[in-house]
């Protein structure tokens, strides 16, 4: 009998130890889960801080709405474009990513879906004439700016950027170009501008601001650093410059217009060198 009592007590102690160990493991697991949840909650609130305006509210609805309007009203020839897929590719290019590490490759799937041909003799490039050039194209449909293409139409005036932590999109702030060049908007517009230039053919128009004291042509502008370098000499015959004077003054811009041509054969001249004269201060003021 004493042997049986010792055996029984041993089993009881073993059961008790097992119960205690299970309780300890359970408590540790619960505490770990709580700490992890709190840590994830804190991480999700850690938005990177930038100097630019944040992502446009209701960005998805804005992009989809503009896309559908473009393919049904502005350019019905593109009615077969899939706006939902276009938005998905655009979102995938920047969501949950550091907004200073965006590449052209991130946007390539979007470009493949949204790009489309530009009719010859209709391409109109611009620099420092934003308001004027778009008021002009709204009344004169003989020309198209980048903002009149699907890529430009969807993103005009819109801002967006991602964030590595949840919710993946930063609605509070986005980086300016001066903070980092490889931000979502800058990369997007350079990519779209390159595409627009590569599609240009025939006679190409350029509207520049002739009232800028530093000169109408800026080599570091999108036009100077991206678009003019990607014009195809096999497709573009002539580049015609419109120098607009007194921008922001009385509505007599076209009376102050200076038009001249350069590169009647794009193969026979360097466009950038030909435009150097426009960099001279007050050259056309």
């Amino acid at each position: 009998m004493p042997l049986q009592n010792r055996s029984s007590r041993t089993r009881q102690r073993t059961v008790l130890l097992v119960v205690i160990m299970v309780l300890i493991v359970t408590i540790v697991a619960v505490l770990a889960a709580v700490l992890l949840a709190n840590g994830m909650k804190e991480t999700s609130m850690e938005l990177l801080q930038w100097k630019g305006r944040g992502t446009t509210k209701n960005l998805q609805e804005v992009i989809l709405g503009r896309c559908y309007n473009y393919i049904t009203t502005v350019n019905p020839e593109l009615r077969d474009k899939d706006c939902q897929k276009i938005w998905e590719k655009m979102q995938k290019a920047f969501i949950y990513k550091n907004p200073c590490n965006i590449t052209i490759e991130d946007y390539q799937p979007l470009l493949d879906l949204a790009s489309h041909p530009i009719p010859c003799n209709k391409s109109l490039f611009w620099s420092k004439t934003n308001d004027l050039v778009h008021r002009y194209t709204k009344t004169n449909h003989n020309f198209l700016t980048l903002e009149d293409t699907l890529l430009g139409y969807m993103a005009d005036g819109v801002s967006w950027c991602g964030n590595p932590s949840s919710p993946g999109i930063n609605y509070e702030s986005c980086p300016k170009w001066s903070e980092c060049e490889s931000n979502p908007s800058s990369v997007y517009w350079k990519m779209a501008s390159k595409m627009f230039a590569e599609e240009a053919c025939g006679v190409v128009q350029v509207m520049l601001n002739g009232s800028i004291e530093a000169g109408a042509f800026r080599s570091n502008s999108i036009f100077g650093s991206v678009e003019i370098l990607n014009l195809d000499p096999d497709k573009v015959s002539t580049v015609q410059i419109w120098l607009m004077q007194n921008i922001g003054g009385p509505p007599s811009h076209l009376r102050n217009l200076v038009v001249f041509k350069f590169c009647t054969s794009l193969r026979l001249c360097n466009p950038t060198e030909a435009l150097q004269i426009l960099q001279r201060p007050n050259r056309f003021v």
Side-chain angles (χ1 to χ4, degrees), residues 32-265:
V34 171
L35 291 173
L36 180 60
N38 289 336
M40 292 179 62
K41 184 177 181 180
E42 290 176 2
T43 301
S44 67
M45 299 303 292
E46 292 177 0
L47 292 176
L48 300 176
Q49 298 298 312
W50 308 101
K51 296 179 180 179
R53 63 189 175 111
T55 300
T56 300
K57 302 298 182 184
N58 303 310
L59 178 65
Q60 178 177 351
E61 289 75 13
V62 171
I63 297 299
L64 283 174
R66 289 183 177 186
C67 181
Y68 285 124
N69 185 61
Y70 190 89
I71 66 173
T72 58
T73 304
V74 178
N75 192 348
E77 292 182 2
L78 301 179
R79 64 177 64 89
D80 292 334
K81 295 287 187 183
D82 190 327
C83 289
Q84 185 61 45
K85 286 186 178 179
I86 287 174
W87 159 249
E88 291 172 0
K89 298 300 182 184
M90 180 177 179
Q91 178 181 239
K92 188 176 180 180
F94 72 92
I95 193 170
Y96 280 105
K97 295 180 180 179
N98 186 311
C100 284
N101 295 329
I102 304 302
T103 66
I104 292 177
E105 288 70 25
D106 291 323
Y107 281 116
Q108 190 59 49
L110 170 63
L111 180 64
D112 294 339
L113 282 177
S115 61
H116 57 87
I118 307 298
C120 286
N121 306 314
K122 299 198 72 169
S123 298
L124 173 54
F125 298 87
W126 60 273
S127 183
K128 290 293 184 180
T129 55
N130 189 343
D131 181 62
L132 178 60
V133 76
H134 293 117
R135 281 194 284 130
Y136 180 76
T137 56
K138 282 182 180 179
T139 58
N140 187 329
H141 301 293
N142 291 324
F143 301 108
L144 295 173
T145 66
L146 171 59
E147 291 73 23
D148 297 313
T149 67
L150 178 55
L151 283 169
Y153 187 87
M154 290 190 303
D156 189 24
V158 174
S159 63
W160 67 94
C161 68
N163 198 75
S165 60
S166 182
I169 297 179
N170 194 334
Y171 290 98
E172 300 301 321
S173 64
C174 289
K176 290 185 175 182
W177 182 89
S178 57
E179 293 180 275
C180 60
E181 186 174 352
S182 297
N183 65 73
S185 294
S186 294
V187 174
Y188 180 94
W189 285 111
K190 287 181 179 180
M191 172 205 70
S193 297
K194 182 175 182 291
M195 178 275 298
F196 186 59
E198 291 173 341
E199 288 292 328
C201 55
V203 179
V204 166
Q205 313 292 331
V206 182
M207 185 184 290
L208 301 178
N209 188 338
S211 299
I212 297 178
E213 292 185 1
F217 175 69
R218 298 171 302 121
S219 58
N220 62 345
S221 66
I222 293 292
F223 171 65
S225 64
V226 177
E227 293 170 334
I228 198 170
L229 301 179
N230 284 284
L231 295 176
D232 187 345
D234 290 329
K235 296 163 59 177
V236 175
S237 59
T238 303
V239 177
Q240 184 163 285
I241 304 295
W242 307 5
L243 277 179
M244 313 306 294
Q245 304 288 350
N246 196 28
I247 292 181
S252 58
H253 303 295
L254 292 181
R255 289 201 298 271
N256 296 322
L257 170 64
V258 178
V259 179
F260 67 96
K261 296 180 181 181
F262 77 98
C263 297
T264 52
S265 173

